[in-house]
Every structure is written in structure tokens, then in C-alpha cells.
């Protein structure tokens, strides 16, 4: 089954404790992206990747890191989480990267709800 | 800044009625997409309309795009209880820099279908 898988689905942790949210897709998609969803603010893009070893900042990249060493995986790293990073996070992928890569339907994971105390 | 803004923020109708949601955006776009999000789940792609298209259909969904007014509408006909969800428009702004990738979401319309 074609899917985007995020782990964990829920996490409660404390300020400053490094964490990683994994994202994996099995559709051989080139383009992957991370979003956070907050009430009243909608979805905002954190980082995106057009292909392996190619990543770039979205609208709200501060406090986050990403890597794209393999095509299928795009982990989101919070080196020193803070309470303002409490949010619902979504990973998404689409078929094509490069110019116009966001010109494709995106497939979303089911989300990761992070609470930073 | 938000590129797409949906209107209304919330809509409640009776089953069987049609539901119309609107999306306005600010800059020129390559395409506009509509997504559905059921409570607690990820977004599901519904339909994509390109900037050179004016109308598109998919089952009970009808999407229109007016680039002169920078607006789009999503019509769901003969609504069902299962259509209860939040609906988001997402725009792909024309990038000034080649290779820049962005899909910008609005804040969504919360649709409730009453049995």
C-alpha cells in the first residue's frame, strides 16, 4: 500500500531533550516536505527536499533540522525542543522534484502530535 | 504570510445539500489544490487545477478557478455525513527563483454535514 509513515504518532517530552521524528515513503517520490499545523495558523512549511541530499528552508525552519540521505526517508530533528514547538507535524511527499515539484498532489502521513513541556 | 484564505471558516449544512467553499490568494500561481482533513488525520488530496484551467470535476466535486480575481471555489454536491471534515486550499505560487518549491496552505473551512 502506498503510504507516508511517521513515527512516533504522539510524543510528550521536555525542553532541551533532542528528538527525531521519522518519515518514510514507499512511493519512490522525489519531493518530501515537513509542515506544522497550529490552530488559527493553518499548515506552515518547515523544510522541504527536492531529492536526495537537496534540502531547503520553508517558512518556519528555526529550531529544526532535516536530512535526506536516502530517497525514502526524511527525518525531522529538534536539537533542543522548546514549548513553542508543541504542534501537530505532518510529513508529505510527491512524485517529482526539481522545478515545479510542488506542482503535484502531495501524500500526507497521519501526523505526529508533539508536546514539549 | 498566508497565501490562501478560505471562506467561510465554518459551514454547517443538512445532508443532501450542496456545500460551497471559497479560497482567495494573493500572488500569481502555477496551480491550486484542494485537500480534505478528517479529524486527527493527515490531509488527503482531492483535486488539482492548473492556472490555465477554469473548471474541473471529480465525482461530486467541482472546482473553479478565476485567476483574474485570484479566487477558487470548491463545490460538494449532494453532501453526505462522511463529507464532514476540514477543507484546505493550497497554492503553488510562481517562484521568482528557479527551483524554489512551495505549497502554501490556507487555514481551512470546517464543514459539518448534519444527518
Amino acid at each position: 500500500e502506498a503510504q507516508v509513515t511517521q513515527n512516533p504518532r504522539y510524543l510528550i517530552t521536555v525542553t532541551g531533550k533532542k528528538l527525531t521524528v521519522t518519515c518514510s515513503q514507499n512511493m519512490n517520490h522525489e519531493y518530501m516536505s515537513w509542515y506544522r499545523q497550529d490552530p488559527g495558523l493553518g499548515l506552515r512549511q518547515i523544510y522541504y527536499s527536492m531529492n536526495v541530499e537537496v534540502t531547503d528552508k520553508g517558512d518556519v525552519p528555526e529550531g529544526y533540522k532535516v536530512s535526506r540521505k536516502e530517497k525514502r526517508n526524511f527525518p525531522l530533528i529538534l536539537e533542543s525542543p522548546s514549548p513553542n514547538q508543541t504542534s501537530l507535524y505532518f510529513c508529505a511527499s510527491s512524485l517529482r522534484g526539481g522545478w515545479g515539484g510542488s506542482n503535484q498532489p502531495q501524500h500526507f502521513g497521519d501526523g505526529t502530535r508533539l508536546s514539549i513541556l | 504570510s498566508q497565501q490562501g484564505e478560505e471562506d467561510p471558516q465554518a459551514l454547517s449544512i443538512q445532508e443532501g445539500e450542496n456545500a460551497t467553499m471559497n479560497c482567495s490568494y494573493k500572488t500569481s500561481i502555477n496551480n491550486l489544490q484542494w485537500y480534505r482533513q478528517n479529524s486527527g488525520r493527515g490531509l488527503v488530496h482531492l483535486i488539482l487545477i492548473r492556472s490555465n484551467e477554469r473548471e474541473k470535476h471529480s465525482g461530486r466535486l467541482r472546482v473553479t478557478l478565476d485567476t483574474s480575481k485570484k479566487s477558487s471555489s470548491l463545490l460538494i454536491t449532494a453532501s453526505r455525513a462522511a463529507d464532514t471534515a476540514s477543507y484546505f486550499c493550497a497554492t503553488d505560487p510562481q517562484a521568482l527563483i528557479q527551483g524554489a518549491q512551495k505549497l502554501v496552505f490556507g487555514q481551512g473551512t470546517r464543514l459539518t454535514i448534519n444527518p
Side-chain angles (χ1 to χ4, degrees), chain B residues 23-29 65-72:
Chain B
C23 170
S24 60
Y25 57 92
K26 297 174 183 172
T27 64
S28 297
I29 60 172
L65 179 64
D66 187 336
T67 53
S68 67
K69 295 181 179 178
K70 292 187 170 58
S71 68
S72 173

Side-chain angles (χ1 to χ4, degrees), chain B:
Chain B
S1 63
Q2 293 295 323
Q3 163 77 327
E5 294 187 6
E6 287 90 345
D7 170 59
Q9 291 187 349
L11 179 62
S12 181
I13 60 173
Q14 294 300 120
E15 195 167 19
E17 293 180 340
N18 296 341
T20 300
M21 289 158 272
N22 302 296
C23 170
S24 60
Y25 57 92
K26 297 174 183 172
T27 64
S28 297
I29 60 172
N30 295 311
N31 69 78
L32 186 145
Q33 304 179 38
W34 284 92
Y35 287 82
R36 183 187 74 231
Q37 183 182 31
N38 290 92
S39 181
R41 303 299 301 274
L43 281 74
V44 174
H45 179 261
L46 295 176
I47 199 163
L48 181 153
I49 186 165
R50 303 191 188 282
S51 59
N52 61 354
E53 298 176 310
R54 291 297 167 258
E55 189 171 312
K56 207 161 183 181
H57 296 255
S58 177
R60 293 185 296 114
L61 306 181
R62 173 177 169 255
V63 168
T64 61
L65 179 64
D66 187 336
T67 53
S68 67
K69 295 181 179 178
K70 292 187 170 58
S71 68
S72 173
S73 68
L74 170 67
L75 169 66
I76 303 174
T77 60
S79 63
R80 305 167 182 169
D83 294 328
T84 293
S86 292
Y87 292 82
F88 295 85
C89 68
T91 53
D92 175 20
Q94 290 181 351
L96 297 176
I97 302 172
Q98 185 171 354
Q101 302 290 309
K102 190 179 270 299
L103 194 62
V104 182
F105 287 82
Q107 295 185 28
T109 293
R110 175 68 189 168
L111 175 65
T112 302
I113 309 299
N114 301 303

Side-chain angles (χ1 to χ4, degrees), chain A residues 22-79:
Chain A
T22 63
C23 174
S24 180
Q25 50 91 6
N26 62 0
M27 296 168 279
N28 202 36
H29 283 174
E30 291 185 351
Y31 181 89
M32 298 186 74
S33 183
W34 276 103
Y35 299 88
R36 59 178 288 174
Q37 184 176 31
D38 302 288
L41 296 175
L43 275 86
R44 294 177 293 168
Q45 189 180 50
I46 303 171
Y47 270 95
Y48 63 89
S49 169
M50 292 189 287
N51 215 324
V52 176
E53 301 291 1
V54 182
T55 63
D56 209 344
K57 296 177 181 178
D59 290 321
V60 288
E62 295 78 19
Y64 304 94
K65 286 176 57 177
V66 293
S67 68
R68 187 91 182 273
K69 295 183 170 58
E70 305 166 285
K71 198 171 189 177
R72 63 182 293 129
N73 296 322
F74 190 44
L76 179 70
I77 303 158
L78 285 71
E79 292 271 3

